[in-house]
Amino acid sequence: MNQTDHVPDVSGPSSEPGHESASRLSPAIIRLRAVVAAARFHGLELDIRDFAAEPGEESPSPATLVRWLEEQGAVAKGMRIKWRYLVKMTNSPPIVLMFRDGSAAVMVAAEPGKGVVWLRDPLKDDAAAPVPVDELRLSRIWTGDVLLIKRRRDQSEADAPINLTWLAKMVLREKRSLRDIAIASMTLSILQIFPPLVVMQVIDRVVNYKSMSTLISISGIIVVFSVYEVLLSYGRRELSMVLTTRVDSRISLHVFSRLVSLPLEYFERQQAGNILGRVMAIYRVRDFLTGKLMSTFLDLFTLVVILPFLFYLSSTLAWMTVAAAGCIGLIVVIFMGPVARVMTAQMQAERERGAILYETVAGIRTLKTLALENMRKQIWDESTALVIRWKLAVGRMSNWPQTLVMPLDLFINRGIIMIGAYLALVSPSSVGAGGLVAFMMLGNRVASPLVGFAKLLDDFNEVMTSLGEAASVLNQPTETKALTTGMRPVIKGALSFDGVDFTYPGSTSKALNDVNFEVPAGTMLGLVGRSGSGKSTITRLLQGVSRSYSGYLKLDGIDLREINLTHLRRSFGVVLQDNFLFRGTIRENITAGRPGYTIDDVVRAARMAGAEEFIERMPAGYETFIEEGSTNISGGQRQRLAIARAVITDPKLMILDEATSALDPESEALVNANLERIGKGRTMVIVSHRLSSLVNCDQICVMDHGSVADIAPHDVLLERCDIYRTLWMQQNRHTEGKAKPGSSSLVAEGE
């Protein structure tokens, strides 16, 4: 079973690149090979096993390929062009041309004078001669779509620190929508000037001179302007919604991608509920950017247009309006610091309460079986009381600036008209009755964005606090570079440890101390030792979970840190003591991450893991739905499904870390019996406290305090290794005198 065959929605055998014939490969494989060939020109080594197709796509579309390439650290763009433009692309790097049958080819050159482009077969190496193709021949197979690829040189949005600048760039990427919204807002602002002017004319001319014809004319003008204002307002709201949803989707994609790129070590050190609470805080920032901030800035267009007209009507009243709004802003600025401090404490308390809720739901089985409801209720009550205390403190602190601002706000809305009326009585030439009414209509529109902008500073406290919480998680060092760069060698399974030292973050003692051993490919290696001796640490280093070790850890002669992390992990099969199964069918769990595998592949993997027998007894077979937490299957069944999930990729190296320690004797016997068959032709690293399950291993490495005490077959260790002999005797006292040491088999242990 070759892993390169099993790209989503693709089936069929394949071998090494350059040796297949197109008739043996599906069009989707050929298209992916064309993309890989074009990316190689820019120094990007891609693996089609990293590709995940969109549901329902028989062959990957340009948009899907762009998504994949950008995940791998490239800049890509899909576009549709005509022949006359394609043939002029003489200085372009390799371009992927999409064909109607779902395949593709690589265009490496063009000759406008001859009217041909030169295409290279993506299944052949770079030294293969390209073929000239003219417009007539190409038009029969080419869809008109091309894929342009280049290597990303600068820091991408995916790698840039999460801060207000990053979020602002996300919004500013929607230049076209922002331009249209700005035009609509400016137009609306201009239109808003006319109704007050019309009212002023109605009062000064229609009412005073009792002119019916003027009233009819003015009414017609008002209707026309009102229609335009309604349509423009609708258009601006529609554009704002489109902008908001686009920014929301882009932020969500980036945040999730950044989260899953964080190393496993970080998640092991942090509380899951705490992480989720901090990450979700970024959506408060999103709501601020696309909600209050955007609406306030849109209203500022009104301010820019209308404020000069207010000074034209009455400079005295206009200055009063601006001064009152400025005082409001000053009050808000003064209270920003105190409000921010108590708000930070409130968010911390809410995050801790959320972590308690998450932990309770995650551990509900233990909570119910041990009757811990009252204890958890007490913890929840205490955390809720702390949240309420800080929420009350925030409310009281925020109440002061709101109270101080209110008189100024009332002065803008009510006091200005009283002063304007006084001026109209004292000095009728300064402002008339119609001018006063027009000023009030426009003044409210101006005061609103000024007051809103001042109050925006208050919301800015909460936004910056939320952004800091999200950034504390999302700005952690990621594995992105290791996941997208590095060598992708063919894995055979030879392991070599040369002076490997490793210390866990925050620890003062070494978990591994000068570990030295090597095993050839195809070896079944057992790892034994007392708890804390470093067995699981070795498996963590092999999986690339921790790369901060010193010394040399080599796989097939290549330092593990030089190998692409995604390629490394996909080349391994890993089975842990407590394996996690996702909600979904048995088939979906076995093919997790490899949706292109066929049902025959799933059955073959289940048979190797000894799971076929119980799966076929289930009413829905391989379509049986597994509930959250795998509550509807037994522990042994879950473990065998995990083994099937590991072996379906036919890995050349498998790691089993206490994979059978939690199983009942019957399930353990089934698993151990299958391990001998699974282990043929591949390297197996088996960690187990039960030495009897390792007696048939080619080599057994005995660990003690992070160092290798000895490494040899079972019989040799019994003779010369005191630690191994002591562990063996402790576990096999009941068989002393009844069976010779080493006579047990993997199957016998289960029996």
Side-chain angles (χ1 to χ4, degrees):
M1 193 192 309
N2 193 316
Q3 295 179 50
T4 58
D5 306 339
H6 299 284
V7 181
D9 296 324
V10 175
S11 60
S14 68
S15 55
E16 292 302 316
H19 296 280
E20 312 93 334
S21 64
S23 61
R24 295 177 56 198
L25 293 176
S26 68
I29 285 285
I30 299 173
R31 180 169 288 190
L32 288 172
R33 291 289 177 85
V35 174
V36 170
R40 192 182 300 119
F41 175 85
H42 299 283
L44 289 166
E45 290 294 332
L46 304 180
D47 189 340
I48 62 175
R49 288 174 294 182
D50 297 335
F51 176 78
E54 293 294 330
E57 284 188 352
E58 294 183 2
S59 188
S61 65
T64 302
L65 293 171
V66 167
R67 183 260 304 164
W68 177 48
L69 286 163
E70 291 184 344
E71 288 175 354
Q72 302 300 314
V75 177
K77 183 176 183 180
M79 58 189 302
R80 174 161 292 188
I81 63 174
K82 296 181 179 180
W83 165 264
R84 63 176 180 269
Y85 300 116
L86 180 70
V87 76
K88 293 178 182 178
M89 301 175 75
T90 56
N91 298 322
S92 300
I95 299 172
V96 181
L97 304 186
M98 306 296 171
F99 291 165
R100 289 192 175 94
D101 65 349
S103 63
V106 181
M107 190 187 95
V108 295
E111 292 187 51
K114 295 182 179 180
V116 297
V117 294
W118 294 81
L119 305 184
R120 177 179 292 150
D121 187 346
L123 302 182
K124 297 179 180 179
D125 55 33
D126 295 340
V131 177
V133 181
D134 58 20
E135 180 181 5
L136 180 61
R137 292 176 59 194
L138 186 63
S139 62
R140 295 173 180 172
I141 56 175
W142 181 41
T143 64
D145 293 323
V146 299
L147 185 66
L148 307 177
I149 305 170
K150 71 176 182 178
R151 190 184 187 95
R152 181 178 283 119
R153 300 294 180 185
D154 57 345
Q155 190 178 44
S156 66
E157 285 181 345
D159 304 321
I162 301 290
N163 51 33
L164 199 59
T165 302
W166 181 86
L167 286 165
K169 287 181 178 179
M170 298 286 283
V171 177
L172 293 175
R173 280 185 61 179
E174 301 296 328
K175 295 179 181 178
R176 181 177 298 178
S177 296
L178 289 171
R179 180 200 64 194
D180 295 340
I181 292 172
I183 293 173
S185 299
M186 185 65 72
T187 306
L188 282 171
S189 300
I190 295 172
L191 290 177
Q192 287 172 0
I193 295 177
F194 290 97
L197 289 177
V198 171
V199 171
M200 184 173 65
Q201 294 300 318
V202 168
I203 294 175
D204 291 342
R205 298 184 182 277
V206 174
V207 176
N208 290 339
Y209 297 101
K210 300 180 180 180
S211 175
M212 183 63 68
S213 59
T214 305
L215 178 61
I216 295 173
S217 301
I218 291 175
S219 300
I221 294 173
I222 290 177
V223 170
V224 172
F225 280 121
S226 299
V227 170
Y228 276 108
E229 187 172 356
V230 169
L231 293 177
L232 281 170
S233 298
Y234 170 80
R236 190 178 76 167
R237 286 193 297 271
E238 183 71 19
L239 289 170
S240 299
M241 286 189 292
V242 171
L243 173 65
T244 301
T245 52
R246 287 174 64 89
V247 172
D248 181 46
S249 62
R250 187 174 287 116
I251 290 176
S252 297
L253 293 174
H254 278 286
V255 166
F256 188 80
S257 178
R258 183 74 67 91
L259 185 64
V260 298
S261 297
L262 295 176
L264 180 60
E265 288 178 318
Y266 176 76
F267 292 99
E268 292 174 338
R269 296 194 303 267
Q270 301 291 329
Q271 197 173 12
N274 207 318
I275 292 175
L276 292 177
R278 291 184 176 187
V279 170
M280 296 306 291
I282 200 169
Y283 290 102
R284 298 181 186 175
V285 186
R286 176 211 62 193
D287 293 338
F288 174 76
L289 287 176
T290 59
K292 293 182 179 179
L293 183 64
M294 182 175 295
S295 61
T296 300
F297 272 103
L298 291 177
D299 289 339
L300 286 179
F301 283 112
T302 304
L303 181 64
V304 172
V305 174
I306 297 179
L307 193 58
F309 190 73
L310 286 183
F311 277 94
Y312 167 75
L313 291 175
S314 174
S315 59
T316 303
L317 298 180
W319 278 119
M320 289 181 179
T321 302
V322 173
C327 291
I328 291 175
L330 181 63
I331 292 172
V332 172
V333 170
I334 292 173
F335 279 89
M336 278 180 66
V339 172
R341 283 191 290 271
V342 292
M343 192 172 290
T344 301
Q346 178 196 344
M347 293 182 66
Q348 172 69 20
E350 288 180 343
R351 193 170 61 249
E352 291 177 356
R353 183 175 67 168
I356 293 171
L357 180 62
Y358 176 87
E359 188 178 47
T360 301
V361 174
I364 193 67
R365 184 179 299 177
T366 302
L367 183 145
K368 289 292 184 181
T369 53
L370 297 181
L372 301 178
E373 289 91 343
N374 290 333
M375 186 196 74
R376 298 301 295 182
K377 285 180 182 178
Q378 183 178 355
I379 296 174
W380 176 260
D381 292 346
E382 292 173 356
S383 65
T384 300
L386 186 61
V387 169
I388 297 301
R389 190 178 303 125
W390 281 114
K391 186 172 289 188
L392 184 61
V394 169
R396 285 173 174 169
M397 183 63 68
S398 300
N399 193 22
W400 277 106
Q402 292 177 18
T403 303
L404 295 175
V405 161
M406 193 171 180
L408 295 170
D409 198 4
L410 292 174
F411 172 75
I412 292 174
N413 292 323
R414 304 173 188 176
I416 294 294
I417 193 171
M418 305 304 296
I419 295 175
Y422 171 77
L423 292 176
L425 292 174
V426 173
S427 177
S429 60
S430 62
V431 57
L436 179 60
V437 174
F439 187 94
M440 290 311 304
M441 293 179 67
L442 291 174
N444 288 332
R445 293 178 182 270
V446 170
S448 179
L450 285 173
V451 174
F453 191 72
K455 292 181 178 179
L456 200 66
L457 298 175
D458 191 20
D459 297 324
F460 192 72
N461 280 315
E462 182 180 358
V463 167
M464 294 307 297
T465 303
S466 300
L467 186 60
E469 294 293 333
S472 66
V473 175
L474 300 175
N475 285 344
Q476 294 292 324
T478 67
E479 297 177 326
T480 303
K481 185 176 180 180
L483 290 166
T484 57
T485 61
M487 303 174 63
R488 299 174 184 266
V490 178
I491 304 297
K492 297 179 180 177
L495 297 175
S496 173
F497 285 73
D498 183 6
V500 174
D501 292 343
F502 177 74
T503 304
Y504 284 103
S507 176
T508 56
S509 59
K510 292 183 177 180
L512 294 180
N513 182 24
D514 193 28
V515 174
N516 295 275
F517 71 87
E518 61 179 272
V519 294
T523 301
M524 184 176 286
L525 173 69
L527 288 175
V528 300
R530 302 180 181 92
S531 296
S533 60
K535 305 183 299 298
S536 294
T537 303
I538 286 180
T539 64
R540 288 171 62 88
L541 297 189
L542 287 174
Q543 298 171 65
V545 173
S546 302
R547 288 193 160 192
S548 57
Y549 59 86
S550 59
Y552 297 95
L553 169 52
K554 296 182 178 180
L555 176 60
D556 297 324
I558 303 172
D559 192 292
L560 217 64
R561 287 168 289 201
E562 300 297 324
I563 300 176
N564 177 274
L565 196 54
T566 301
H567 175 75
L568 177 72
R569 291 174 177 170
R570 292 200 172 192
S571 301
F572 281 21
V574 181
V575 185
L576 306 175
Q577 179 178 356
D578 185 19
N579 291 279
F580 182 84
L581 297 181
F582 297 94
R583 290 185 75 249
T585 65
I586 288 177
R587 176 178 178 174
E588 290 169 346
N589 270 277
I590 294 178
T591 61
R594 306 290 199 285
Y597 279 99
T598 65
I599 188 62
D600 292 335
D601 299 321
V602 175
V603 172
R604 189 183 307 113
R607 187 177 299 128
M608 290 182 67
E612 182 184 30
E613 163 262 334
F614 79 81
I615 294 175
E616 291 184 344
R617 288 204 311 265
M618 292 183 170
Y622 288 90
E623 299 303 320
T624 300
F625 195 86
I626 297 177
E627 301 293 344
E628 183 176 356
S630 310
T631 55
N632 57 332
I633 60 174
S634 68
Q637 291 172 339
R638 181 174 67 246
Q639 205 73 344
R640 279 178 275 174
L641 289 178
I643 294 174
R645 181 172 61 188
V647 301
I648 192 171
T649 59
D650 192 29
K652 293 303 178 184
L653 195 153
M654 285 195 65
I655 298 173
L656 286 83
D657 192 352
E658 299 289 355
T660 62
S661 62
L663 301 182
D664 58 85
E666 182 181 359
S667 298
E668 184 185 10
L670 286 170
V671 171
N672 285 336
N674 289 317
L675 288 183
E676 284 189 350
R677 184 171 71 253
I678 294 172
K680 291 180 180 179
R682 72 182 93 240
T683 302
M684 301 277 288
V685 178
I686 307 174
V687 178
S688 179
H689 283 96
R690 301 181 184 178
L691 305 188
S692 56
S693 63
L694 302 177
V695 294
N696 285 350
C697 287
D698 302 314
Q699 296 285 326
I700 301 177
C701 179
V702 182
M703 301 293 298
D704 186 47
H705 296 95
S707 300
V708 177
D710 202 348
I711 180 170
H714 168 74
D715 293 335
V716 177
L717 289 175
L718 279 179
E719 294 179 3
R720 73 183 191 195
C721 181
D722 293 337
I723 297 175
Y724 186 83
R725 185 167 51 250
T726 300
L727 292 173
W728 176 265
M729 293 179 65
Q730 288 175 347
Q731 295 183 18
N732 293 274
R733 289 173 180 168
H734 62 286
T735 62
E736 192 72 25
K738 298 181 182 180
K740 296 180 180 181
S743 61
S744 302
S745 68
L746 292 175
V747 180
E749 169 62 16
E751 296 172 351

